[in-house]
Amino acid sequence: MPVLAHNTLETFCAEVLAAASMRADEARQVAHHLVEAEMKNVVSHGVNRVAYYLDCFANGLARPAGDILLAHNGATVLTVDGGEGLGIPAMERAVDQLLAMGRDQPIVCAGIHNVGHTGRMGAYVERLAANGRFALSMGGGGCDRFPLVAAHGGRGGVLSTNPWAMAMPGGGAGDVSVDFATCVVANGKVSVRRRTGESVPEGWLADKHGNPTTSIEAYDDGGALLPAGGYKGYGLSVLAEMMGGAMLGQPYEFNWMIVALDTNAFGAAAFDKDAAHVIEKLRATPPAPGFDKVRVPGDPERETEERCRRDGINLHDGVWDGLVAAAQSQGVAIPAIG
């Protein structure tokens, strides 16, 4: 497996995206986002997406440079139109605005639409949490275009992956962050295994008859991803679909909502101390067999990011080959690898 320093990989990805007609600043922003996801071991939304984004540009699924428009509905509600570009710049702009709006309001929200792929949702709520907010985001509205996930008790795909993400400050003990598709696994993880040839675990997929399968071929032939936790993930998915497809209108890919609440909104006198106490109590729990220690949500990503910053990023050969092919298609030089 090739090993690259994170800054080398980020520069390389930015050069490829800029060569594909993205604005230079937005190419750097997207590259930073993808490399951060790679370091956090969210490889489904990591640098394998560079080649995918180039395909989106070539096939009219996103513009290399979308013109972002903002519209305020009072002091607490924002609508962001991404201009049919990749969703990462539009989502970052939404976070910028929410932080500015939140200086004067305890709770603010944004609806983001007319965007292509938005990357790792945890990045946006984590940024808000780092600025003292409890943040929630969900995406939906893609059921007609991306019917990948079975309804609970149903056969075949009818919903999309409809992810949720939430984060809040940990009072000095490390912020807590959750980011999950409402199906058992994000479709991007299946795509990565399709590229790398790795097997698919039991419990991820059903075939077109509704029977469990570990075959990506059966999944591709009218099968579906399964909802996470049965009716629980299904319920969260339906709510996200109604928000994305009904509240925010017809999506370009998905529509998104972010809500940000100031952790001081209710006047808690010792939030930082009490939040840290919860986290430290959980981490002090004796580990069960098969576990080295108890972690809180966000810890695994922090650990892998720290290791990647120190030791470099290991890329699967198939992911590296796809990135090299994308660079060659744009005439971008390939960096030396370890």
Side-chain angles (χ1 to χ4, degrees):
M1 291 185 180
V3 180
L4 288 88
H6 67 89
N7 54 348
T8 300
L9 183 58
E10 187 171 318
T11 298
F12 180 40
C13 291
E15 289 174 349
V16 175
L17 293 167
S21 299
M22 286 196 74
R23 299 183 183 100
D25 59 335
E26 292 183 348
R28 290 191 295 270
Q29 187 178 51
V30 171
H32 176 81
H33 181 104
L34 298 180
V35 171
E36 183 182 70
E38 197 76 38
M39 290 193 292
K40 290 180 180 290
N41 201 33
V42 188
V43 295
S44 60
H45 290 62
V47 299
N48 75 93
R49 292 286 176 170
V50 172
Y52 171 70
Y53 291 163
L54 266 59
D55 288 342
C56 288
F57 301 157
N59 295 303
L61 300 178
R63 296 178 184 273
D67 293 323
I68 299 171
L69 300 175
L70 308 177
H72 290 268
N73 183 10
T76 59
V77 179
L78 170 71
T79 300
V80 180
D81 182 328
E84 300 182 356
L86 290 179
I88 294 168
M91 295 294 281
E92 291 289 0
R93 184 76 68 84
V95 173
D96 290 342
Q97 292 295 309
L98 289 173
L99 289 172
M101 294 159 62
R103 286 196 288 265
D104 301 315
Q105 303 292 335
I107 185 167
V108 291
C109 64
I112 302 93
H113 70 108
N114 205 21
V115 291
H117 191 261
T118 48
R120 185 181 72 89
M121 297 311 297
Y124 313 117
V125 293
E126 287 163 10
R127 189 175 157 210
L128 288 162
N131 284 274
R133 271 67 173 180
F134 165 68
L136 177 152
S137 179
M138 69 178 90
C143 68
D144 292 333
R145 187 172 171 187
F146 305 105
L148 301 172
V149 184
H152 181 59
R155 290 186 297 176
V158 67
L159 288 164
S160 194
T161 56
N162 293 2
W164 289 63
M166 288 168 276
M168 67 187 306
D175 297 345
V176 173
S177 174
V178 299
D179 178 1
F180 54 89
T182 49
C183 44
V184 172
V185 65
N187 183 57
K189 293 188 177 181
V190 178
S191 298
V192 168
R193 290 177 184 246
R194 187 185 288 110
R195 181 187 293 272
T196 62
E198 294 175 90
S199 61
V200 174
E202 294 183 358
W204 284 18
L205 308 174
D207 65 21
K208 63 185 176 183
H209 304 294
N211 299 311
T213 183
T214 59
S215 168
I216 293 179
E217 291 76 16
Y219 166 62
D220 291 338
D221 183 28
L225 296 161
L226 294 170
Y231 66 89
K232 296 179 181 179
Y234 175 54
L236 290 173
S237 182
V238 171
L239 289 171
E241 187 65 29
M242 293 173 68
M243 178 282 304
M247 282 180 65
L248 292 175
Q250 185 67 29
Y252 183 72
E253 188 211 49
F254 272 45
N255 289 332
W256 303 89
M257 181 174 69
I258 306 175
V259 180
L261 172 67
D262 192 325
T263 54
N264 292 319
F266 303 108
F271 172 81
D272 287 348
K273 176 176 175 292
D274 292 342
H277 172 73
V278 172
I279 293 171
E280 289 161 358
K281 181 177 181 179
L282 292 169
R283 287 180 179 148
T285 304
F291 293 85
D292 62 335
K293 61 181 179 179
V294 173
R295 295 168 170 84
V296 299
D299 281 349
E301 292 82 2
R302 276 187 288 270
E303 291 171 8
T304 59
E305 181 178 4
E306 180 180 349
R307 184 167 61 249
C308 286
R309 289 186 182 278
R310 182 185 66 242
D311 302 332
I313 300 172
N314 287 274
L315 295 180
H316 192 282
D317 290 337
V319 172
W320 175 246
D321 290 345
L323 190 53
V324 167
Q328 291 173 336
S329 75
Q330 302 301 313
V332 173
I334 312 301
I337 59 173

